[in-house]
Structure formats: C-alpha cells, structure tokens
Amino acid sequence: EYMGENIFFQEQKNMEKILIRVLDDTLGKYLHGLNKQNLEIGVWKGEVNLRNIELRQDALAELQLPIHVHRGHVSTISLSIPWNKLSSQPVIVNIKDVYLLALPTDTSSWTFKDFDQFAYATKKRQILEYDTLKSKQLEASLESVEEKKKSEEKNGWIEKLVTKIISNLQLTIENVHFRYEHIPSKLGGVPPENIKTNPISFGITLKSIRAYSTNQDWQPTFNETLGLSHKIVNIQGVSFYGSIDSPSFTLLSGKEFELAMKTITVSKSDDYLFRPSNACLKAKIVLDPSTAPAFTEVLDELDFSLDTVSLTINEINFQNILRVINFMSRFGTLHKNFQETRKLNQAIENAKGNKHKIARERWLFAFRCTKKKFSKKSSSWDIAEVTNTLKERNVYVETFIQLTE
C-alpha cells in the first residue's frame, strides 16, 4: 500500500512538472511578467489564479504581419486541478475579460537592419522549436533498450492520463474583444472627410465560449474510456464590426481602456459586418490507436450551426478593408524585396571585388525584380498597362543609346 502511494505521489510530481512547463511555455509567449514561482505554488495546490495580466507587445508576432499589441489585458485566468481525482473529474479552465488593442507597425522608415531584426526574430522562434524537438529525439535515442521499455511503459501511462485530461477539459472564456485601429493617412488613398480625426477600427467581440465533453446524446459527462468522444463548443454573442466614428482607444488610461473595451457599442447599425449571433459546434473525435502512446485525436464528424446569419457591408467599410489589405500586402512586398537585396549584398561580398561577377549579380538581381513585376501583372494586363510598358521600353532604349554613344 505504501509503495502504491509512493508511486502515485511520484507520478503526481511528474505531472506537476509537466503542467508547469506547459503553462510557462504556452502562457509565457503571450503574457507579460508571468511569475513562475507563483505558478508552481498554484499548481501544487491545485488552484492557479492569475489576475490582471498584461499581454506582451509581441504576442501577435507569430502572425508575421506589420501589427503589434498596443495594449492587452486579461482580468482572470483560473485553473482548477483535482489531483486526487484526475481520472474521474475534469480540469476546469476559466478565462475572463480578454481585451487586445492592436495597431499597425510603421514600416515606412524601416532600414535593412529593421527587416533583418524582424527576420531574425522569426527565425529564432523556428530554431527554438526545432531545438526542443531535436533534444527530445536525442534523449530518446540515448536510452538503452531496457530504459526505453520502462520509459515507454511509464510515458504510456502518463500519455493516457494526459489524453484523458485534455479530452475532458472544461474551458470557459468570457468577454473577449479584439480591436484593430489604423490611422487613415497610413493606409494610402484619400480617406473620407469624417474620418480625418478618428481612426479606422475593426473589432471582434465575443460574450462567451464554453467547451466541454458530452455523452452520445450530447449531455455533459466525463469520458472514462479512451476511444470515441463527443465535444460541444457553445459560442455566445460573436460579432464583427467596422467603424469610422469611434474615437481612438490608444490614449485611454488602464481602467478607462477596460471599461471602453467591455462596454463598446456600435454607433450605427450598418457598422456591423457580422451582427451578434450565437453558434454551436458539435464534434465527434476518435483516438487513433496506431499513434499510441500519444493517441492522436482524429476528427470523425463535425456539425456547426448558427442562430442567425446577418452579414452587412457598406461602401466605407468595404473601402477600408481594401486599404488595410493593401497595407498588409505592401509589407509583404517590402519584406520580399529586402530578402532579394540581402541575397544581392551577400553575392557581392562573396565576389571579393571581381567586377565581372559583381556586374553579373546586379544584372541577375534586376532581372529577378523585373520578372516578378511583369509576372504579377501578366494575369491582369489591360490596354493601359500594355501602352505604359511600351513607353517604358522606348525610354529604356533611348537611355541605353545615349549611354553607349
């Protein structure tokens, strides 16, 4: 009996370490000032309560878009872990008041150094993920046959328990508001007169999301066995809006910001692109036995329903959406041009002063840039573009003749 209790205690400690690492790795990427010591104490007690947490400015970096978090706030993240009844009771996660205000990153004055830093940050994340994977593979390869067998048996038990915990996880998220603001002058084009003082803003609001496991009749339950599981995700009050009349939230204080994000009201009915609606997602999930002990989940059946569907878009919102898309695409073009120029600089450096090689690399660079320009236009050429191309060719020929005379 003592041996059994000791084994259970040891396995609980292992589970605690795994959970702390997962929480730290997952939440640490998005939350600012996460206290790992408090996280450990909370996990050991079975109750994790994080309050008034700020989102990191680079929380959206994985999107690789020219946007950043100007201000982000989460009121509460609570986690209830029934350590003594993990095989029969669900882990409960509650998240409340998630507010995020995103702004565009001004890349108009970016230098090669700025693009280099952006590319470096992206590459660094990929390398860290790759290193983590390779270190796990290396640890597994260094184990002896007997150690590997014991490890697989132990990990198999842990994997089954983790799979059961995840399968029965109860998640509730309340009051979500993601808002994006953009100053019209940075989007290009001439904005309408009435939005010179206020930014263009788009937002997604959500009253609540609740996800839980059910039986085959879609009634809440705890799934005891691994196999076919049923899940329901209830979404309440989801909407998408676009506005030109709402003042910027950037100058609001902490309390004012939270209140504004919580009580946002759309001034005009046609500012809603997607009016508040409720949705329900039902899913049947099968655990793939061939992937034991990891037990990969395979989606077997999915049913999605909406109470009402009301899509509206006025001319101003349509134009502003195009402006934002154009801004994002310009950044993509600038980033690609930077990569091409970086290749050219590297090739010139490798040429070590050889004029013929340097000239060749510059001509190849010019060819690649021109080829991209014309291949992009070729699918949608009209008579005006053809005429303009002919004029550019004539200017090129005349300039070439002047230079060679």
Side-chain angles (χ1 to χ4, degrees):
E1 186 178 349
Y2 174 76
M3 287 278 293
E5 289 179 358
N6 190 42
I7 292 171
F8 176 79
F9 180 76
Q10 192 63 42
E11 294 298 344
Q12 180 178 328
K13 287 295 180 186
N14 292 334
M15 286 293 295
E16 287 172 357
K17 291 178 182 178
I18 293 170
L19 183 57
I20 290 168
R21 188 176 70 246
V22 169
L23 289 174
D24 189 44
D25 291 345
T26 305
L27 299 179
K29 292 191 295 184
Y30 307 106
L31 303 180
H32 180 69
L34 189 65
N35 190 316
K36 191 173 181 180
Q37 185 177 0
N38 291 343
L39 195 63
E40 290 177 358
I41 293 170
V43 169
W44 292 339
K45 290 181 177 179
E47 292 286 340
V48 176
N49 289 295
L50 305 174
R51 299 185 184 279
N52 298 320
I53 315 151
E54 299 299 314
L55 293 177
R56 293 167 57 101
Q57 193 176 32
D58 60 350
L60 301 176
E62 291 180 353
L63 299 178
Q64 297 188 37
L65 293 173
I67 59 177
H68 64 274
V69 176
H70 176 75
R71 180 177 290 175
H73 179 84
V74 182
S75 291
T76 307
I77 299 177
S78 64
L79 189 68
S80 178
I81 313 157
W83 285 117
N84 296 327
K85 299 180 180 179
L86 278 175
S87 58
S88 59
Q89 290 185 8
V91 172
I92 300 173
V93 180
N94 291 312
I95 303 174
K96 190 174 181 181
D97 301 336
V98 183
Y99 304 134
L100 184 149
L101 174 61
L103 298 180
T105 302
D106 187 4
T107 59
S108 59
S109 58
W110 271 26
T111 62
F112 284 117
K113 184 179 179 181
D114 296 311
F115 277 107
D116 222 355
Q117 289 176 346
F118 179 83
Y120 172 75
T122 303
K123 185 64 69 176
K124 185 179 178 181
R125 286 193 301 272
Q126 295 172 346
I127 290 173
L128 286 173
E129 291 174 1
Y130 178 78
D131 283 346
T132 302
L133 177 64
K134 295 303 289 184
S135 62
K136 289 180 180 178
Q137 292 176 346
L138 180 61
E139 288 176 6
S141 65
L142 292 175
E143 290 181 340
S144 65
V145 176
E146 289 187 12
E147 287 176 337
K148 190 173 289 186
K149 187 176 180 181
K150 291 179 181 178
S151 177
E152 284 177 357
E153 290 175 357
K154 180 181 176 181
N155 290 337
W157 181 85
I158 293 176
E159 288 286 357
K160 285 181 180 178
L161 183 57
V162 170
T163 302
K164 184 181 283 189
I165 292 170
I166 294 173
S167 178
N168 289 283
L169 185 73
Q170 286 188 13
L171 173 66
T172 302
I173 305 175
E174 296 179 274
N175 302 329
V176 178
H177 185 181
F178 296 158
R179 179 180 172 92
Y180 174 78
E181 291 185 1
H182 207 138
I183 299 170
S185 60
K186 293 183 180 180
L187 289 173
V190 181
E193 290 296 322
N194 61 331
I195 60 172
K196 285 186 175 178
T197 55
N198 294 331
I200 292 169
S201 61
F202 292 101
I204 297 173
T205 61
L206 194 64
K207 189 176 180 182
S208 69
I209 297 179
R210 186 165 178 258
Y212 54 91
S213 296
T214 72
N215 58 22
Q216 60 184 6
D217 298 319
W218 304 106
Q219 298 300 313
T221 190
F222 186 91
N223 291 320
E224 294 283 353
T225 57
L226 297 176
L228 179 65
S229 63
H230 298 72
K231 295 182 185 294
I232 283 184
V233 179
N234 284 321
I235 303 171
Q236 299 289 321
V238 59
S239 70
F240 179 50
Y241 69 85
S243 177
I244 59 172
D245 299 316
S246 174
S248 176
F249 287 9
T250 56
L251 301 178
L252 299 178
S253 65
K255 292 294 182 182
E256 291 173 337
F257 171 76
E258 291 173 38
L259 183 62
M261 293 291 280
K262 187 173 185 176
T263 60
I264 179 83
T265 54
V266 177
S267 58
K268 298 178 184 176
S269 61
D270 61 350
D271 282 345
Y272 274 119
L273 283 80
F274 182 82
R275 293 178 183 278
S277 181
N278 301 328
C280 181
L281 186 149
K282 295 180 179 180
K284 291 182 181 179
I285 298 173
V286 179
L287 296 179
D288 185 0
S290 65
T291 59
F295 295 105
T296 303
E297 293 185 333
V298 179
L299 183 64
D300 182 60
E301 189 177 320
L302 184 67
D303 179 57
F304 183 75
S305 60
L306 276 167
D307 286 356
T308 57
V309 179
S310 179
L311 298 172
T312 308
I313 185 165
N314 56 37
E315 183 179 354
I316 292 175
N317 273 332
F318 179 71
Q319 291 175 353
N320 289 337
I321 288 173
L322 293 181
R323 286 191 177 99
V324 172
I325 292 173
N326 184 47
F327 171 80
M328 300 293 179
S329 64
R330 283 208 310 270
F331 173 78
T333 303
L334 285 172
H335 193 218
K336 288 178 182 177
N337 290 344
F338 155 75
Q339 291 175 324
E340 286 292 343
T341 308
R342 194 167 180 232
K343 289 179 184 177
L344 171 65
N345 292 338
Q346 187 63 49
I348 290 175
E349 185 178 337
N350 294 337
K352 297 179 180 179
N354 188 315
K355 293 182 179 180
H356 294 290
K357 286 185 178 180
I358 292 173
R360 180 178 181 276
E361 292 298 335
R362 283 176 174 165
W363 275 108
L364 286 173
F365 171 76
F367 172 75
R368 287 195 298 268
C369 293
T370 307
K371 182 183 177 183
K372 284 184 179 180
K373 177 183 175 182
F374 286 112
S375 62
K376 185 178 179 181
K377 288 185 176 181
S378 62
S379 59
S380 59
W381 268 22
D382 56 23
I383 188 64
E385 289 174 338
V386 173
T387 304
N388 185 56
T389 302
L390 291 174
K391 287 180 179 178
E392 288 181 351
R393 179 188 177 280
N394 291 336
V395 171
Y396 171 81
V397 171
E398 291 174 3
T399 305
F400 180 80
I401 292 172
Q402 291 173 6
L403 292 173
T404 53
E405 285 180 349

